[in-house]
PDB file of all heavy atoms in Angstrom:
ATOM      1  N   ASP N 312      14.332  56.708  35.404  1.00 98.00           N
ATOM      2  CA  ASP N 312      15.085  56.793  34.141  1.00 98.00           C
ATOM      3  C   ASP N 312      16.552  56.466  34.385  1.00 98.00           C
ATOM      4  O   ASP N 312      17.112  56.872  35.485  1.00 98.00           O
ATOM      5  CB  ASP N 312      14.972  58.193  33.610  1.00 98.00           C
ATOM      6  CG  ASP N 312      13.518  58.581  33.363  1.00 98.00           C
ATOM      7  OD1 ASP N 312      12.761  57.758  32.992  1.00 98.00           O
ATOM      8  OD2 ASP N 312      13.177  59.816  33.666  1.00 98.00           O
ATOM      9  N   PHE N 313      17.115  55.810  33.479  1.00 98.00           N
ATOM     10  CA  PHE N 313      18.559  55.279  33.623  1.00 98.00           C
ATOM     11  C   PHE N 313      19.381  55.554  32.370  1.00 98.00           C
ATOM     12  O   PHE N 313      18.875  55.302  31.284  1.00 98.00           O
ATOM     13  CB  PHE N 313      18.570  53.799  33.937  1.00 98.00           C
ATOM     14  CG  PHE N 313      17.937  53.452  35.293  1.00 98.00           C
ATOM     15  CD1 PHE N 313      16.580  53.196  35.369  1.00 98.00           C
ATOM     16  CD2 PHE N 313      18.740  53.341  36.441  1.00 98.00           C
ATOM     17  CE1 PHE N 313      16.021  52.832  36.601  1.00 98.00           C
ATOM     18  CE2 PHE N 313      18.155  53.017  37.632  1.00 98.00           C
ATOM     19  CZ  PHE N 313      16.768  52.734  37.723  1.00 98.00           C
ATOM     20  N   ILE N 314      20.573  55.918  32.558  1.00 98.00           N
ATOM     21  CA  ILE N 314      21.583  55.931  31.484  1.00 98.00           C
ATOM     22  C   ILE N 314      22.222  54.551  31.395  1.00 98.00           C
ATOM     23  O   ILE N 314      22.603  53.937  32.341  1.00 98.00           O
ATOM     24  CB  ILE N 314      22.712  56.950  31.796  1.00 98.00           C
ATOM     25  CG1 ILE N 314      22.195  58.386  31.453  1.00 98.00           C
ATOM     26  CG2 ILE N 314      24.008  56.702  30.960  1.00 98.00           C
ATOM     27  CD1 ILE N 314      23.178  59.459  31.631  1.00 98.00           C
ATOM     28  N   ILE N 315      22.269  54.064  30.131  1.00 98.00           N
ATOM     29  CA  ILE N 315      22.903  52.777  29.833  1.00 98.00           C
ATOM     30  C   ILE N 315      24.017  53.002  28.853  1.00 98.00           C
ATOM     31  O   ILE N 315      23.845  53.547  27.794  1.00 98.00           O
ATOM     32  CB  ILE N 315      21.900  51.753  29.173  1.00 98.00           C
ATOM     33  CG1 ILE N 315      20.595  51.627  30.144  1.00 98.00           C
ATOM     34  CG2 ILE N 315      22.552  50.386  28.982  1.00 98.00           C
ATOM     35  CD1 ILE N 315      20.916  51.174  31.545  1.00 98.00           C
ATOM     36  N   SER N 316      25.245  52.737  29.368  1.00 98.00           N
ATOM     37  CA  SER N 316      26.478  53.059  28.554  1.00 98.00           C
ATOM     38  C   SER N 316      27.597  52.150  29.017  1.00 98.00           C
ATOM     39  O   SER N 316      27.432  51.286  29.902  1.00 98.00           O
ATOM     40  CB  SER N 316      26.810  54.486  28.806  1.00 98.00           C
ATOM     41  OG  SER N 316      27.198  54.705  30.171  1.00 98.00           O
ATOM     42  N   THR N 317      28.755  52.359  28.370  1.00 97.00           N
ATOM     43  CA  THR N 317      29.900  51.505  28.816  1.00 97.00           C
ATOM     44  C   THR N 317      30.816  52.343  29.778  1.00 97.00           C
ATOM     45  O   THR N 317      31.616  51.812  30.465  1.00 97.00           O
ATOM     46  CB  THR N 317      30.805  51.145  27.598  1.00 97.00           C
ATOM     47  OG1 THR N 317      31.379  52.322  27.032  1.00 97.00           O
ATOM     48  CG2 THR N 317      29.937  50.450  26.530  1.00 97.00           C
ATOM     49  N   GLY N 318      30.610  53.671  29.736  1.00 95.00           N
ATOM     50  CA  GLY N 318      31.473  54.487  30.514  1.00 95.00           C
ATOM     51  C   GLY N 318      32.880  54.730  29.963  1.00 95.00           C
ATOM     52  O   GLY N 318      33.751  55.223  30.672  1.00 95.00           O
ATOM     53  N   GLU N 319      33.097  54.282  28.724  1.00 95.00           N
ATOM     54  CA  GLU N 319      34.329  54.614  28.026  1.00 95.00           C
ATOM     55  C   GLU N 319      34.064  55.085  26.582  1.00 95.00           C
ATOM     56  O   GLU N 319      33.022  54.754  26.074  1.00 95.00           O
ATOM     57  CB  GLU N 319      35.232  53.389  28.003  1.00 95.00           C
ATOM     58  CG  GLU N 319      34.657  52.117  27.353  1.00 95.00           C
ATOM     59  CD  GLU N 319      35.636  50.954  27.410  1.00 95.00           C
ATOM     60  OE1 GLU N 319      36.124  50.654  28.511  1.00 95.00           O
ATOM     61  OE2 GLU N 319      35.775  50.283  26.405  1.00 95.00           O
ATOM     62  N   THR N 320      34.984  55.831  26.098  1.00 93.00           N
ATOM     63  CA  THR N 320      34.752  56.390  24.731  1.00 93.00           C
ATOM     64  C   THR N 320      35.858  55.995  23.741  1.00 93.00           C
ATOM     65  O   THR N 320      37.019  55.787  24.138  1.00 93.00           O
ATOM     66  CB  THR N 320      34.705  58.001  24.823  1.00 93.00           C
ATOM     67  OG1 THR N 320      34.287  58.504  23.583  1.00 93.00           O
ATOM     68  CG2 THR N 320      36.038  58.615  25.268  1.00 93.00           C
ATOM     69  N   HIS N 321      35.453  55.953  22.485  1.00 95.00           N
ATOM     70  CA  HIS N 321      36.376  55.521  21.412  1.00 95.00           C
ATOM     71  C   HIS N 321      36.060  56.441  20.124  1.00 95.00           C
ATOM     72  O   HIS N 321      34.944  56.806  19.980  1.00 95.00           O
ATOM     73  CB  HIS N 321      36.161  54.122  21.002  1.00 95.00           C
ATOM     74  CG  HIS N 321      36.477  53.134  22.105  1.00 95.00           C
ATOM     75  ND1 HIS N 321      37.710  52.659  22.418  1.00 95.00           N
ATOM     76  CD2 HIS N 321      35.609  52.544  23.018  1.00 95.00           C
ATOM     77  CE1 HIS N 321      37.605  51.842  23.467  1.00 95.00           C
ATOM     78  NE2 HIS N 321      36.359  51.790  23.877  1.00 95.00           N
ATOM     79  N   THR N 322      37.101  56.786  19.407  1.00 94.00           N
ATOM     80  CA  THR N 322      36.963  57.518  18.254  1.00 94.00           C
ATOM     81  C   THR N 322      36.498  56.625  17.054  1.00 94.00           C
ATOM     82  O   THR N 322      36.676  55.432  17.105  1.00 94.00           O
ATOM     83  CB  THR N 322      38.228  58.274  17.821  1.00 94.00           C
ATOM     84  OG1 THR N 322      39.194  57.302  17.467  1.00 94.00           O
ATOM     85  CG2 THR N 322      38.735  59.158  18.898  1.00 94.00           C
ATOM     86  N   VAL N 323      35.935  57.273  16.067  1.00 94.00           N
ATOM     87  CA  VAL N 323      35.641  56.548  14.847  1.00 94.00           C
ATOM     88  C   VAL N 323      36.845  56.009  14.239  1.00 94.00           C
ATOM     89  O   VAL N 323      36.836  54.860  13.713  1.00 94.00           O
ATOM     90  CB  VAL N 323      34.915  57.523  13.863  1.00 94.00           C
ATOM     91  CG1 VAL N 323      34.608  56.771  12.517  1.00 94.00           C
ATOM     92  CG2 VAL N 323      33.587  58.044  14.429  1.00 94.00           C
ATOM     93  N   GLU N 324      37.987  56.645  14.383  1.00 96.00           N
ATOM     94  CA  GLU N 324      39.230  56.141  13.813  1.00 96.00           C
ATOM     95  C   GLU N 324      39.629  54.851  14.496  1.00 96.00           C
ATOM     96  O   GLU N 324      40.098  53.899  13.849  1.00 96.00           O
ATOM     97  CB  GLU N 324      40.354  57.212  13.970  1.00 96.00           C
ATOM     98  CG  GLU N 324      41.669  56.737  13.376  1.00 96.00           C
ATOM     99  CD  GLU N 324      42.767  57.799  13.495  1.00 96.00           C
ATOM    100  OE1 GLU N 324      42.504  58.959  13.124  1.00 96.00           O
ATOM    101  OE2 GLU N 324      43.882  57.431  13.845  1.00 96.00           O
ATOM    102  N   GLU N 325      39.393  54.776  15.836  1.00 97.00           N
ATOM    103  CA  GLU N 325      39.679  53.508  16.537  1.00 97.00           C
ATOM    104  C   GLU N 325      38.816  52.317  15.980  1.00 97.00           C
ATOM    105  O   GLU N 325      39.345  51.229  15.838  1.00 97.00           O
ATOM    106  CB  GLU N 325      39.450  53.636  18.024  1.00 97.00           C
ATOM    107  CG  GLU N 325      40.479  54.467  18.787  1.00 97.00           C
ATOM    108  CD  GLU N 325      40.100  54.538  20.235  1.00 97.00           C
ATOM    109  OE1 GLU N 325      40.279  53.576  20.999  1.00 97.00           O
ATOM    110  OE2 GLU N 325      39.610  55.601  20.691  1.00 97.00           O
ATOM    111  N   LEU N 326      37.553  52.626  15.777  1.00 97.00           N
ATOM    112  CA  LEU N 326      36.672  51.678  15.182  1.00 97.00           C
ATOM    113  C   LEU N 326      37.144  51.160  13.864  1.00 97.00           C
ATOM    114  O   LEU N 326      37.208  50.005  13.627  1.00 97.00           O
ATOM    115  CB  LEU N 326      35.238  52.344  15.021  1.00 97.00           C
ATOM    116  CG  LEU N 326      34.280  51.667  14.097  1.00 97.00           C
ATOM    117  CD1 LEU N 326      33.735  50.321  14.709  1.00 97.00           C
ATOM    118  CD2 LEU N 326      33.054  52.593  13.808  1.00 97.00           C
ATOM    119  N   VAL N 327      37.537  52.094  12.991  1.00 98.00           N
ATOM    120  CA  VAL N 327      38.033  51.760  11.657  1.00 98.00           C
ATOM    121  C   VAL N 327      39.344  50.929  11.752  1.00 98.00           C
ATOM    122  O   VAL N 327      39.459  49.913  11.056  1.00 98.00           O
ATOM    123  CB  VAL N 327      38.295  53.039  10.850  1.00 98.00           C
ATOM    124  CG1 VAL N 327      39.060  52.804   9.619  1.00 98.00           C
ATOM    125  CG2 VAL N 327      36.950  53.796  10.555  1.00 98.00           C
ATOM    126  N   ASP N 328      40.221  51.368  12.649  1.00 98.00           N
ATOM    127  CA  ASP N 328      41.520  50.655  12.830  1.00 98.00           C
ATOM    128  C   ASP N 328      41.318  49.225  13.279  1.00 98.00           C
ATOM    129  O   ASP N 328      41.957  48.278  12.704  1.00 98.00           O
ATOM    130  CB  ASP N 328      42.399  51.423  13.851  1.00 98.00           C
ATOM    131  CG  ASP N 328      43.781  50.820  13.957  1.00 98.00           C
ATOM    132  OD1 ASP N 328      44.279  50.288  12.957  1.00 98.00           O
ATOM    133  OD2 ASP N 328      44.325  50.881  15.073  1.00 98.00           O
ATOM    134  N   ILE N 329      40.461  48.988  14.320  1.00 98.00           N
ATOM    135  CA  ILE N 329      40.189  47.619  14.775  1.00 98.00           C
ATOM    136  C   ILE N 329      39.629  46.749  13.688  1.00 98.00           C
ATOM    137  O   ILE N 329      40.002  45.582  13.511  1.00 98.00           O
ATOM    138  CB  ILE N 329      39.285  47.702  16.021  1.00 98.00           C
ATOM    139  CG1 ILE N 329      40.043  48.298  17.179  1.00 98.00           C
ATOM    140  CG2 ILE N 329      38.842  46.241  16.398  1.00 98.00           C
ATOM    141  CD1 ILE N 329      39.114  48.634  18.412  1.00 98.00           C
ATOM    142  N   ALA N 330      38.655  47.311  12.977  1.00 98.00           N
ATOM    143  CA  ALA N 330      37.945  46.572  11.884  1.00 98.00           C
ATOM    144  C   ALA N 330      38.899  46.124  10.839  1.00 98.00           C
ATOM    145  O   ALA N 330      38.941  44.935  10.413  1.00 98.00           O
ATOM    146  CB  ALA N 330      36.808  47.406  11.312  1.00 98.00           C
ATOM    147  N   PHE N 331      39.722  47.047  10.306  1.00 98.00           N
ATOM    148  CA  PHE N 331      40.665  46.684   9.245  1.00 98.00           C
ATOM    149  C   PHE N 331      41.752  45.798   9.746  1.00 98.00           C
ATOM    150  O   PHE N 331      42.130  44.817   9.034  1.00 98.00           O
ATOM    151  CB  PHE N 331      41.272  47.965   8.614  1.00 98.00           C
ATOM    152  CG  PHE N 331      40.471  48.560   7.556  1.00 98.00           C
ATOM    153  CD1 PHE N 331      39.603  49.620   7.792  1.00 98.00           C
ATOM    154  CD2 PHE N 331      40.532  48.109   6.224  1.00 98.00           C
ATOM    155  CE1 PHE N 331      38.899  50.283   6.826  1.00 98.00           C
ATOM    156  CE2 PHE N 331      39.760  48.661   5.265  1.00 98.00           C
ATOM    157  CZ  PHE N 331      38.967  49.748   5.523  1.00 98.00           C
ATOM    158  N   SER N 332      42.253  46.049  10.932  1.00 98.00           N
ATOM    159  CA  SER N 332      43.386  45.183  11.531  1.00 98.00           C
ATOM    160  C   SER N 332      42.863  43.735  11.710  1.00 98.00           C
ATOM    161  O   SER N 332      43.640  42.767  11.510  1.00 98.00           O
ATOM    162  CB  SER N 332      43.798  45.774  12.822  1.00 98.00           C
ATOM    163  OG  SER N 332      44.362  47.029  12.747  1.00 98.00           O
ATOM    164  N   HIS N 333      41.578  43.621  12.034  1.00 98.00           N
ATOM    165  CA  HIS N 333      41.025  42.250  12.269  1.00 98.00           C
ATOM    166  C   HIS N 333      41.115  41.368  11.031  1.00 98.00           C
ATOM    167  O   HIS N 333      41.156  40.162  11.114  1.00 98.00           O
ATOM    168  CB  HIS N 333      39.588  42.344  12.733  1.00 98.00           C
ATOM    169  CG  HIS N 333      38.938  41.057  13.135  1.00 98.00           C
ATOM    170  ND1 HIS N 333      39.563  40.251  14.069  1.00 98.00           N
ATOM    171  CD2 HIS N 333      37.791  40.404  12.814  1.00 98.00           C
ATOM    172  CE1 HIS N 333      38.826  39.164  14.258  1.00 98.00           C
ATOM    173  NE2 HIS N 333      37.759  39.279  13.439  1.00 98.00           N
TER     174      HIS N 333
END
Side-chain angles (χ1 to χ4, degrees):
D312 305 322
F313 294 87
I314 280 180
I315 305 300
S316 65
T317 67
E319 59 182 46
T320 188
H321 299 274
T322 63
V323 175
E324 185 177 312
E325 284 180 76
L326 162 70
V327 169
D328 184 33
I329 292 170
F331 274 99
S332 296
H333 187 51

